[in-house]
Amino acid sequence: MTRAVVLPRPRPEIEALPRYSTASGVATVRWRASSNESAIAPSPAVAEAIARTGTHGHLYPTPFSDDLVAALAERLSVPAAEVLTGAGSLALLQQVLTAFTGPGTEVVHAWRSYEAYPILIGIAGATAVPVPLDAQHRHDIDAMIAAVTSRTRVVLVCSPNNPTGTELSTAELRHLLDSIPAHVLVVLDEAYREFAAGDVDGVELLRAYPNLVVLRTFSKAFGLAGLRAGYAITHSETAGHLRAAAPPFGLSSVAEAAACAALTETAHTDRIVESVRAGRRHLRAELTARGIETPSSGGNFVWIPVGQRAAALEAACVAHGVSVRAFPGEGVRVTVGERAAEDAVLAALNGLTSDLTARRPD
């Protein structure tokens, strides 16, 4: 008789977590416009730093990435005690939630926003409080303020917002920060800030609001998504608590060396940013010509709000050799920066029925 297999069970809140989804056709398409990666590879100087550091792969990095922290502190004109690094900004967000939330606490965030937010909140044992975006696909700041309760420990803000690309102004963020109790952390996720058109600088805001944590990354404008390097800037006391919640050696020596080199390669970063801005202009103009309205984007992507027709658009794109990121019932996010991929998306649209390209989305 076959013996029944009984496996250990995780905590109930882990079992109930939503799973991070992936785009269709990634393994088979010619172009990937689904993951917000850079279409431009790292510069030769970064590649050389990776190769050089790899020869010392038998040695541990410093526990808290001393060289990169020093370089970032100098670049941002902040004390090194206010800077933390990690394996992407997502790892740093997990440290924030681990250190400052837990069972019985709440985290307020906009929705739709970054898909990983409710997952990380659940892992920390806290309760996610999603606040719907407004009719313009933007954070509803007043509704987020109203959602704060005595149980709120963190308010998450993503600007530019992933996946809609919409941005908040400095005035809107100041209104939020002025309205949030000082004991509540406000986390400003600026993963796409280099592509933004607005005036927001989280580091400047931090000077006036010590309960702010600013998250940034090397994955997007610096083109290092595969190496997983990000950083946070916050008040030195908060940073100390976050270091206590962080595993040592959280950033590999190869990722640290690449990030340090990328900071000096400003022309290369500018090239990546300009390719994205040109791609956004091209794709949005062509979508408008086809009767599809899209929100202005500050990210390296364009949001196509086609509602219930998102899955059909994703399938058509895969058939034309390009993966995109569909959010069923809401829309499709298209990474820009590679003209051939953008044109493949447009060709997919051209082949769909006219009701998909109706001006008013579901």
Side-chain angles (χ1 to χ4, degrees):
M1 176 181 288
T2 303
R3 183 180 179 181
V5 176
V6 179
L7 295 174
R9 309 300 302 181
R11 299 181 350 240
E13 57 267 36
I14 300 299
E15 219 167 11
L17 286 176
R19 270 34 177 186
Y20 194 90
S21 57
T22 57
S24 297
V26 172
T28 60
V29 294
R30 181 176 179 183
W31 303 284
R32 296 202 327 185
S34 52
S35 299
N36 293 346
E37 301 153 320
S38 171
I40 299 173
S43 71
V46 172
E48 193 277 330
I50 292 170
R52 181 180 67 252
T53 310
T55 63
H56 303 289
H58 58 298
L59 303 175
Y60 280 111
T62 59
F64 295 107
S65 312
D66 295 348
D67 289 346
L68 182 55
V69 166
L72 288 165
E74 181 178 2
R75 179 186 180 94
L76 301 170
S77 299
V78 299
E82 296 182 359
V83 180
L84 304 98
T85 64
S89 55
L90 201 59
L92 291 158
L93 175 57
Q94 184 69 79
Q95 288 173 225
V96 171
L97 297 172
T98 299
F100 287 91
T101 75
T105 68
E106 296 177 345
V107 179
V108 174
H109 64 93
W111 196 254
R112 164 85 50 188
S113 193
Y114 186 30
E115 185 180 11
Y117 291 164
I119 298 174
L120 296 187
I121 293 166
I123 292 171
T127 298
V129 181
V131 178
L133 300 176
D134 66 18
Q136 287 73 49
H137 311 286
R138 304 178 77 251
H139 284 53
D140 187 334
I141 293 298
D142 287 331
M144 293 180 73
I145 293 168
V148 173
T149 72
S150 61
R151 295 180 295 277
T152 306
R153 294 296 178 270
V154 171
V155 175
L156 263 174
V157 178
C158 186
S159 183
N161 185 47
N162 177 15
T164 64
T166 50
E167 300 178 53
L168 292 170
S169 67
T170 298
E172 288 173 311
L173 285 168
R174 285 186 177 277
H175 172 49
L176 174 69
L177 288 157
D178 286 335
S179 305
I180 297 296
H183 69 272
V184 174
L185 272 186
V186 177
V187 178
L188 175 59
D189 186 343
E190 290 191 309
Y192 300 94
R193 75 173 306 272
E194 289 86 358
F195 309 113
D199 61 349
V200 172
D201 184 338
V203 175
E204 286 300 316
L205 286 170
L206 177 61
R207 302 182 198 284
Y209 300 97
N211 62 325
L212 181 64
V213 177
V214 180
L215 300 179
R216 294 179 179 176
T217 185
F218 287 91
S219 295
K220 312 303 179 184
F222 293 96
L224 301 182
L227 292 176
R228 312 307 302 129
Y231 60 102
I233 314 98
T234 189
H235 188 277
S236 57
E237 184 173 330
T238 302
H241 296 314
L242 295 178
R243 287 190 190 91
F249 315 115
L251 189 65
S252 76
S253 54
V254 172
E256 180 181 14
C260 286
L263 283 173
T264 69
E265 293 287 280
T266 54
H268 190 78
T269 301
D270 290 346
R271 180 185 167 207
I272 293 173
V273 170
E274 182 47 43
S275 72
V276 165
R277 290 177 174 168
R280 286 191 318 217
R281 289 191 297 267
H282 169 70
L283 184 57
R284 292 191 69 222
E286 291 294 330
L287 290 168
T288 298
R290 288 162 173 78
I292 300 175
E293 295 177 348
T294 60
S296 180
S297 176
N300 63 347
F301 52 87
V302 170
W303 174 246
I304 308 178
V306 290
Q308 296 299 325
R309 297 157 292 183
L313 178 53
E314 179 187 40
C317 288
V318 170
H320 281 77
V322 58
S323 66
V324 295
R325 189 68 167 76
F327 297 84
E330 299 177 70
V332 169
R333 188 192 68 198
V334 180
T335 307
V336 298
E338 186 168 5
R339 185 57 52 88
E342 296 153 16
D343 288 343
V345 172
L346 295 169
L349 279 165
N350 292 341
L352 292 173
T353 56
S354 59
D355 67 323
L356 179 63
T357 57
R359 180 167 290 274
R360 293 180 63 84
D362 291 346

